[in-house]
């Protein structure tokens, strides 16, 4: 009964957190445009959200190592919600928007890596699957990436700030009841992060992940535009996005079985290769049926990649170090990788067009696979696990 309640709070947090993210990502740019920001300002403000993920998770992970996630996550979630709502005070002033954006995103970036570490700890203690908790985040993303469009169609961009704030406040409420791991007693020696950082395989892993996520820059920034250039309407494009995330949900449901049966190295390598295949087919654009089929590979490019990465990190960052390991992963792979990928996609789109942009994304994923081979050197913790 207690396990069901704890799992329910974790699922609730993921659902509400990603509801907010699913509403934020598609409509942040249009909201800024409605505030009178030009394309350069929108690019800077969008990059500010991404690059805040480089520093913030590492700082919060370091603090959680000493204070515990229980003291940090609820406060960070509450400040993020309050900071996001104060965007309306900027009244379209760029510097005010930039300052508020840096503030709320700095605290927003604190929560997810620490909750991922908490969920992985809880799943290992309870003998359950991390992916079956995490999939609720993907469902939340689908719900609000579609639902926010309906709200905006009814009430205009005035629905953007309060609509997202409601879910951020809900995530804060859920964060108060998560099954955080207890800190070790004061006189217990704590493992040092420096020992893990000395392993070259960790840096190959992070570099590989950075390249894989950077390859998504073309998808997140220009997929909708590229699809419309090939004659698809906005409704069809929205369905392609939603179908991709549904495939991700399916992988999260069954993904831990894949990990147990095939092992982390094989699942990880497959994710990189299928990611490259996905971008290559989109660059080629052989027809709608193939484009629909290739959207199933979102299960690999995001679902399998993230699930394998979490298992890999859980093996290498035990106990109280896990939060810091997840934070390092989030900052370099998603923060730096996502930011550089978005900037690089903008440059290639301007110089090479859509086909060249997605072809370059495929090459990035293949290059990441090369570094992944060096990261996945045989290690006892990553050997194939029996059913």
């Amino acid at each position: 009964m207690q396990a069901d309640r704890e799992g329910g709070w974790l699922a609730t947090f993921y659902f509400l957190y990603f509801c907010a993210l699913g509403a934020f990502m598609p409509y942040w740019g249009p909201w800024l445009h409605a505030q009178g920001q030009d394309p350069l300002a929108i690019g800077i403000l969008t990059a500010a959200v991404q690059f805040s993920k480089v520093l913030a998770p590492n700082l919060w992970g370091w603090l959680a190592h000493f204070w515990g996630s229980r003291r940090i996550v609820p406060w960070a979630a509450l400040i993020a919600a309050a900071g996001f709502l104060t965007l309306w005070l900027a009244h379209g002033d760029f510097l005010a928007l930039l300052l508020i954006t840096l503030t709320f995103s700095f605290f927003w970036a604190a929560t997810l890596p620490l909750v991922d570490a908490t969920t992985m700890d809880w799943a290992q203690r309870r003998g359950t699957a991390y992916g079956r908790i995490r999939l609720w985040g993907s469902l939340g993303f689908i719900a609000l990436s579609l639902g926010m469009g309906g709200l905006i169609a009814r009430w205009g961009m005035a629905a953007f700030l309060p609509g997202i704030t409601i879910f951020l406040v809900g995530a804060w409420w859920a964060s108060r009841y998560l099954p955080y791991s207890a800190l070790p007693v004061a006189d217990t020696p704590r493992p040092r992060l420096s020992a893990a950082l000395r392993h070259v395989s960790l840096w190959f892993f992070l570099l590989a992940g950075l390249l894989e996520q950077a390859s998504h820059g073309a998808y997140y920034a220009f997929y909708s535009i590229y699809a419309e250039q090939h004659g698809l309407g906005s409704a069809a494009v929205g369905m392609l996005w939603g179908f991709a995330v549904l495939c991700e949900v399916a992988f999260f449901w069954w993904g831990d079985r894949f990990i147990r049966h095939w092992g982390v190295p094989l699942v990880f390598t497959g994710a990189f290769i299928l990611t490259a295949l996905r971008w290559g087919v989109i660059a080629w654009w052989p027809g709608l049926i193939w484009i629909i089929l290739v959207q199933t590979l979102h299960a690999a490019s995001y679902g399998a990649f993230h699930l394998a990465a979490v298992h890999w990190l859980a093996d290498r960052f035990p106990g109280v170090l896990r939060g810091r390991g997840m934070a390092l992963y989030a900052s370099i792979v998603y923060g730096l990788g996502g930011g550089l990928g978005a900037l690089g996609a903008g440059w290639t789109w301007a110089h090479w067009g859509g086909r060249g942009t997605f072809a370059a994304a495929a090459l990035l994923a293949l290059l990441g696979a090369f570094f992944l081979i060096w990261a996945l050197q045989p290690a006892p913790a990553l050997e194939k696990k029996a059913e």
Side-chain angles (χ1 to χ4, degrees), residues 199 207 262 380:
H199 288 280
L207 179 56
W262 298 105

Side-chain angles (χ1 to χ4, degrees), residues 255-287:
D256 287 274
R257 295 183 182 179
F258 280 88
I259 296 288
R260 289 196 301 271
H261 183 71
W262 298 105
V264 169
L266 187 58
V267 173
F268 228 161
T269 304
F272 276 70
I273 293 173
L274 292 175
T275 298
L277 175 64
R278 183 187 185 192
W279 307 145
V281 172
I282 291 174
W284 181 27
W285 201 274

Side-chain angles (χ1 to χ4, degrees), residues 35-37 45 87 89-100:
Q35 297 298 304
Q37 303 304 304
L45 290 165
L87 283 167
L89 295 173
H91 300 297
D93 180 76
F94 172 75
L95 290 178
L97 285 170
L98 180 60
L99 178 61
I100 296 171

Side-chain angles (χ1 to χ4, degrees), residues 119-143:
T119 305
M120 195 65 188
D121 287 340
W122 178 85
Q124 290 181 337
R125 292 197 308 269
R126 296 294 182 180
T128 189
Y130 163 87
R132 295 196 176 186
I133 298 295
R134 176 58 180 78
L135 67 83
W136 286 96
S138 301
L139 292 173
F141 189 96
I142 295 172

Side-chain angles (χ1 to χ4, degrees), residues 211-221 275 278-279 298 301-302 341 361:
L211 291 169
E212 202 270 358
Q213 277 304 298
S215 77
H216 283 68
Y219 180 70
Y220 292 133
T275 298
R278 183 187 185 192
W279 307 145
H298 193 72
S301 66
Y302 182 80

Side-chain angles (χ1 to χ4, degrees), residues 19-29 49 84 87 104 108 160 164:
C19 276
L21 189 63
F24 177 83
M25 287 184 64
Y27 299 105
W28 174 239
V49 176
F84 185 80
L87 283 167
F104 89 76
W108 199 11
F160 180 75
I164 294 177

Side-chain angles (χ1 to χ4, degrees), residues 317-382:
F317 293 90
V320 294
L321 284 180
R322 186 159 295 161
R324 297 184 71 181
M326 295 293 183
L328 183 66
Y329 161 69
S331 65
I332 293 180
V333 173
Y334 289 105
L336 188 58
L340 292 176
L343 294 175
W347 187 91
T348 56
W349 186 269
H351 290 81
W352 300 343
R355 176 166 292 186
T357 297
F358 280 97
L363 291 176
L364 275 181
L366 287 176
L367 181 60
F370 172 79
F371 289 107
L372 183 71
I373 293 171
W374 290 93
L376 297 179
Q377 296 301 310
L382 288 179

Side-chain angles (χ1 to χ4, degrees), residues 2 20 34 73 95 123 152 167 177 181 222 233 269 295 316 318-319 329 342 381:
Q2 181 183 2
V73 173
L95 290 178
I152 290 174
F167 291 101
Y177 302 101
S181 300
F222 294 109
T269 304
Q295 282 296 81
R316 274 157 181 73
Y329 161 69

